[in-house]
Amino acid sequence: MRIGEDPAVDIWMADNLPKEASVGVDPWCISIDTAQRWERAFAEKQQKLVPTSKNLVDEVWINRPPAEINAVIVHPVKFAGRSVADKLKDLRKKLVHEQSRGIIFTALDEVAWLYNIRGSDVAYCPVVHAFAIVTSNSAFIYVDKQKVSVEVQTHLVENGIEIREYTAVSSDATLLATDELDAVSTAKAALAETEATKIPSEIDKSVNGEHQAEENSNDLIWADPVSCCYALYAKLNPDTVLLQQSPLALAKALKNSVELDGLKKAHIRDGAAVVQYLVWLDKKMQDIYGASGYFLEKDSVKKEKHLQSLKLTEVTVSDQLEGFRASKEHFKGLSFPTISSVGSNAAIIHYFPKAETCAELDPDKIYLFDSGAQYLDGTTDITRTVHFGKPSTHEKACYTAVLKGHIALGNARFPNGTNGHSLDILARIPLWKDGLDYRHGTGHGIGSYLNVHEGPHLISFRPQARNVPLQSSMTVTDEPGYYEDGEFGIRLENVLIVKEADTTFNFGDRGYLSFEHITWAPYQTKLIDLNLLSPEEINWLNSYHATCRNILAPYLDEVENAWLKKATEPVGA
């Protein structure tokens, strides 16, 4: 079933189950929003949603491997840019503003961001299996204590954070509902003594001064309906729950100066790894397959059979790319499974190659690789599409249309308050002119050594892209594409930073925004039909390539720099 094309899961179940049917669900594995939406859909057919006391999959999972004990690590302020104390101060201001006395966090990246910790409990995402509850006076983290070292314990306790067992979050949610949770906190004394975790002066008055009575009237418990699990919501009084997007979603998306600097540096090292990979792959494609290579447009010349043992596959080449990244400073792993795809596989948007079934590279077919890495100072995500043989006129036209949309979005200037839904069209217009399109969003936020996909903003045709306007210091990807089933796929992706634009005028005194590219790797000029580019687009391409060459040069050896110089030579008249 395809989301957006087939009926929603709740509608399908309601239509296909008999009246008065009961649908069992593990309340720990479903959000508040999803549960309520399903309840409404089922009610129309006199059906009902039944939370189960046990996970039925667990009941029949024979020989289930034990949970791994992965250590929690402290994410230093030199990378995070802001202390836990500052983040808690801001959070408590928002609690007072929304008349809430507590908030529950179940999104793993929000817990990691708030408490400046990281981990390895989820593949490709440096997060910890943990919950968090923050009140006006206390802060809690719920985590397997075996994962917490003395260093991490010190970090948390010094910031007034009580470390509780992972399973205690259920009973503590009940205590939170009855306003008894603060009373059980053994960290209250440490919190009071730690200057850094005090509520800001303007909030001190409302808590300890003349507005104390008003503060005591705040009785709401804040829970994000999209991320908070239904099991914890069920412990609360629904009449006193504030169902609203987490305040950390936007706070996390607005990168501070340290995070922005780290992201830029991480993308430079990452760009160097991508260039090293292209240099290596270019040579291998010529040596093994007789390809004309990255720069020339000729038919491949078949090599001797003894070279077949050296064949390249989608998996073996992506492993090589990971190796180049692993040699870079602060590398911690990939940010998602590399999409390494050749020919018809590249037409599968979220293709994932497996060693047993993946394709061998072909010099006469397009090769697309979408990849990224986790570095201590930033998360990366880049896509490039290349051809090591002789691309067809149609492939060139499609690649050029994608590039034109990529440039148009990246060069956009727009007033404050503009959302990603409004900008999405810019990347599609060049494709629409030829009756082409793509079925995925155009951009997503990206974390700072956190999840590679990060909200709450996005650039997309989907309605939710209207919800959050883009703001200065957000990160977002620019990744239009085109996919021809059974033939080839094209995607180009850079990470952008939203920044204030220097415009001649300021209509409506709204202020204007623009984008800054921080991804550095060449576009293959052999795949570009220059006749389809405007002079402005050619100028942008040459300028980007010149910057690319200068920024990456210190990270490459003589051979790699020579290749990059050739790959970034100016084009056009």
Side-chain angles (χ1 to χ4, degrees):
M1 297 181 72
R2 294 178 178 271
I3 294 175
E5 297 179 23
D6 292 310
V9 173
D10 52 324
I11 301 301
W12 187 91
M13 286 193 289
D15 289 343
N16 286 274
L17 289 173
K19 284 189 176 182
E20 300 183 357
S22 297
V23 180
V25 62
D26 182 345
W28 291 95
C29 298
I30 191 170
S31 70
I32 301 169
D33 180 70
T34 299
Q36 292 180 339
R37 188 174 67 252
W38 288 16
E39 284 178 329
R40 290 191 296 269
F42 297 156
E44 293 181 7
K45 302 289 181 69
Q46 292 82 53
Q47 299 155 343
K48 60 182 178 180
L49 188 70
V50 181
T52 61
S53 59
K54 296 180 179 180
N55 185 294
L56 301 183
V57 174
D58 292 347
E59 293 294 295
V60 297
W61 193 344
I62 300 172
N63 299 322
R64 181 179 182 177
E68 294 183 6
I69 306 299
N70 299 311
V72 179
I73 61 171
V74 176
H75 191 50
V77 174
K78 70 176 182 179
F79 294 126
R82 294 187 66 204
S83 67
V84 176
D86 285 343
K87 294 176 181 180
L88 284 173
K89 285 179 182 178
D90 284 350
L91 174 58
R92 289 186 170 119
K93 284 183 183 180
K94 291 167 184 171
L95 287 178
V96 171
H97 183 267
E98 296 294 338
Q99 298 184 333
S100 300
R101 58 179 172 82
I103 184 167
I104 298 174
F105 296 109
T106 62
L108 303 188
D109 60 332
E110 292 188 354
V111 177
W113 181 86
L114 178 63
Y115 290 158
N116 282 355
I117 57 173
R118 298 293 189 269
S120 54
D121 285 345
V122 178
Y124 308 104
C125 304
V127 294
V128 180
H129 281 145
F131 299 98
I133 294 177
V134 176
T135 71
S136 302
N137 304 302
S138 307
F140 304 84
I141 184 170
Y142 302 86
V143 62
D144 185 337
K145 290 185 177 180
Q146 296 178 81
K147 300 176 181 180
V148 181
S149 66
V150 174
E151 177 195 5
V152 174
Q153 181 178 3
T154 300
H155 163 76
L156 293 170
V157 172
E158 284 181 348
N159 283 286
I161 302 163
E162 173 91 14
I163 305 170
R164 309 271 288 165
E165 280 293 350
Y166 185 73
T167 54
V169 68
S170 183
S171 57
D172 277 11
T174 301
L175 292 172
L176 178 66
T178 56
D179 203 11
E180 299 175 85
L181 183 57
D182 280 343
V184 306
S185 173
T186 60
K188 288 182 72 176
L191 180 64
E193 295 172 2
T194 304
E195 183 68 24
T197 57
K198 284 186 178 178
I199 298 171
S201 57
E202 61 267 35
I203 302 300
D204 283 342
K205 294 180 181 179
S206 65
V207 174
N208 302 317
E210 65 262 27
H211 301 304
Q212 186 172 2
E214 179 184 342
E215 195 277 332
N216 288 340
S217 69
N218 295 347
D219 197 41
L220 296 176
I221 304 301
W222 194 336
D224 188 326
V226 175
S227 63
C228 185
C229 57
Y230 192 62
L232 294 180
Y233 172 74
K235 303 288 183 181
L236 307 175
N237 177 355
D239 294 332
T240 58
V241 176
L242 173 64
L243 291 176
Q244 187 169 288
Q245 184 180 74
S246 164
L248 298 190
L250 182 59
K252 177 163 52 66
L254 297 173
K255 303 294 186 283
N256 60 59
S257 59
V258 172
E259 289 175 318
L260 291 176
D261 183 61
L263 280 162
K264 290 177 182 179
K265 290 177 178 175
H267 278 82
I268 290 172
R269 297 193 303 274
D270 199 69
V274 169
V275 169
Q276 289 173 324
Y277 173 61
L278 286 171
V279 174
W280 173 85
L281 187 56
D282 185 16
K283 186 175 188 304
K284 289 294 182 182
M285 291 299 290
Q286 292 181 61
D287 290 347
I288 298 175
Y289 297 102
S292 57
Y294 188 89
F295 302 106
L296 300 179
E297 292 186 61
K298 294 181 179 179
D299 294 327
S300 59
V301 179
K302 290 190 176 180
K303 291 282 188 173
E304 298 293 333
K305 282 191 175 181
H306 72 272
L307 291 172
Q308 290 180 354
S309 61
L310 303 175
K311 73 176 185 178
L312 304 175
T313 70
E314 293 166 331
V315 168
T316 60
V317 295
S318 67
D319 288 345
Q320 190 71 31
L321 174 56
E322 182 176 356
F324 285 119
R325 284 192 162 108
S327 68
K328 301 295 179 276
E329 184 182 20
H330 299 321
F331 176 81
K332 300 298 290 182
L334 300 182
S335 55
F336 60 96
T338 299
I339 299 173
S340 174
S341 52
V342 64
S344 59
N345 288 341
I348 304 171
I349 294 171
H350 295 120
Y351 174 73
F352 175 61
K354 296 181 179 179
E356 307 80 27
T357 57
C358 69
E360 182 177 0
L361 263 62
D362 188 330
D364 299 317
K365 294 180 180 179
I366 276 179
Y367 171 64
L368 180 157
F369 63 103
D370 183 351
S371 63
Q374 295 285 5
Y375 301 94
L376 286 173
D377 52 352
T379 302
T380 68
D381 187 359
I382 176 177
T383 307
R384 289 295 183 265
T385 303
V386 295
H387 199 304
F388 293 100
K390 187 176 181 180
S392 69
T393 301
H394 178 56
E395 288 171 332
K396 283 185 175 185
C398 294
Y399 181 96
T400 308
V402 172
L403 177 62
K404 286 171 73 70
H406 178 76
I407 294 172
L409 177 59
N411 285 343
R413 291 190 178 191
F414 48 95
N416 272 303
T418 302
N419 57 48
H421 190 275
S422 301
L423 296 178
D424 181 77
I425 190 175
L426 297 176
R428 298 180 191 271
I429 286 176
L431 287 158
W432 287 355
K433 285 181 178 179
D434 291 326
L436 306 178
D437 204 351
Y438 52 98
R439 292 191 182 96
H440 59 75
T442 304
H444 57 83
I446 193 165
S448 177
Y449 186 38
L450 266 178
N451 294 354
V452 71
H453 278 230
E454 182 177 271
H457 60 291
L458 67 161
I459 299 175
S460 175
F461 58 90
R462 301 191 187 283
Q464 57 264 41
R466 297 190 181 102
N467 298 340
V468 180
L470 297 179
Q471 298 182 41
S472 180
S473 81
M474 283 180 169
T475 57
V476 68
T477 60
D478 173 2
E479 50 179 309
Y482 172 66
Y483 312 89
E484 198 156 295
D485 290 345
E487 297 296 331
F488 63 85
I490 296 165
R491 183 160 63 250
L492 297 172
E493 177 183 18
N494 282 4
V495 173
L496 314 174
I497 292 174
V498 184
K499 65 176 184 177
E500 293 182 3
D502 182 17
T503 56
T504 305
F505 304 102
N506 184 18
F507 183 82
D509 292 325
R510 296 175 65 181
Y512 283 71
L513 300 172
S514 61
F515 294 117
E516 175 186 354
H517 286 257
I518 62 171
T519 299
W520 304 108
Y523 306 97
Q524 191 179 25
T525 55
K526 185 172 82 172
L527 267 171
I528 301 172
D529 184 342
L530 295 177
N531 295 318
L532 300 177
L533 293 185
S534 69
E536 292 78 14
E537 289 167 334
I538 290 175
N539 288 338
W540 182 89
L541 180 64
N542 288 336
S543 175
Y544 175 86
H545 275 166
T547 306
C548 210
R549 188 167 59 244
N550 294 333
I551 283 179
L552 299 182
Y555 297 86
L556 305 174
D557 63 25
E558 186 177 349
V559 172
E560 293 159 351
N561 265 311
W563 185 95
L564 180 60
K565 183 178 180 181
K566 190 173 182 180
T568 56
E569 286 178 347
V571 297

